[in-house]
PDB file of all heavy atoms in Angstrom:
ATOM      1  N   HIS A  21       2.691  17.639  -8.793  1.00 98.00           N
ATOM      2  CA  HIS A  21       2.007  16.897  -7.721  1.00 98.00           C
ATOM      3  C   HIS A  21       2.243  15.392  -7.849  1.00 98.00           C
ATOM      4  O   HIS A  21       2.520  14.715  -6.857  1.00 98.00           O
ATOM      5  CB  HIS A  21       0.499  17.201  -7.735  1.00 98.00           C
ATOM      6  CG  HIS A  21       0.178  18.599  -7.323  1.00 98.00           C
ATOM      7  ND1 HIS A  21      -1.024  19.213  -7.589  1.00 98.00           N
ATOM      8  CD2 HIS A  21       0.926  19.528  -6.662  1.00 98.00           C
ATOM      9  CE1 HIS A  21      -1.000  20.442  -7.089  1.00 98.00           C
ATOM     10  NE2 HIS A  21       0.166  20.660  -6.541  1.00 98.00           N
ATOM     11  N   HIS A  64       8.400  23.245  -6.038  1.00 98.00           N
ATOM     12  CA  HIS A  64       6.956  23.122  -6.243  1.00 98.00           C
ATOM     13  C   HIS A  64       6.235  24.402  -5.795  1.00 98.00           C
ATOM     14  O   HIS A  64       5.495  25.033  -6.555  1.00 98.00           O
ATOM     15  CB  HIS A  64       6.499  21.876  -5.460  1.00 98.00           C
ATOM     16  CG  HIS A  64       5.035  21.717  -5.229  1.00 98.00           C
ATOM     17  ND1 HIS A  64       4.539  20.736  -4.414  1.00 98.00           N
ATOM     18  CD2 HIS A  64       3.948  22.400  -5.661  1.00 98.00           C
ATOM     19  CE1 HIS A  64       3.215  20.811  -4.369  1.00 98.00           C
ATOM     20  NE2 HIS A  64       2.831  21.823  -5.108  1.00 98.00           N
ATOM     21  N   GLU A  68       4.480  27.564  -8.111  1.00 98.00           N
ATOM     22  CA  GLU A  68       3.074  27.981  -7.985  1.00 98.00           C
ATOM     23  C   GLU A  68       2.997  29.476  -7.656  1.00 98.00           C
ATOM     24  O   GLU A  68       2.155  30.203  -8.193  1.00 98.00           O
ATOM     25  CB  GLU A  68       2.368  27.182  -6.883  1.00 98.00           C
ATOM     26  CG  GLU A  68       2.018  25.780  -7.311  1.00 98.00           C
ATOM     27  CD  GLU A  68       1.280  24.983  -6.238  1.00 98.00           C
ATOM     28  OE1 GLU A  68       0.899  25.547  -5.199  1.00 98.00           O
ATOM     29  OE2 GLU A  68       1.080  23.768  -6.463  1.00 98.00           O
ATOM     30  N   ASP A 129      -4.890  24.577  -4.089  1.00 98.00           N
ATOM     31  CA  ASP A 129      -4.293  24.488  -5.430  1.00 98.00           C
ATOM     32  C   ASP A 129      -5.356  24.388  -6.530  1.00 98.00           C
ATOM     33  O   ASP A 129      -5.195  24.973  -7.602  1.00 98.00           O
ATOM     34  CB  ASP A 129      -3.374  23.259  -5.541  1.00 98.00           C
ATOM     35  CG  ASP A 129      -2.043  23.468  -4.838  1.00 98.00           C
ATOM     36  OD1 ASP A 129      -1.758  24.600  -4.411  1.00 98.00           O
ATOM     37  OD2 ASP A 129      -1.279  22.490  -4.722  1.00 98.00           O
TER      38      ASP A 129
HETATM   39 FE1  LIG B   1       0.731  22.354  -5.315  1.00 84.84          FE
END
Side-chain angles (χ1 to χ4, degrees):
H21 291 162
H64 165 188
E68 284 182 8
D129 284 351

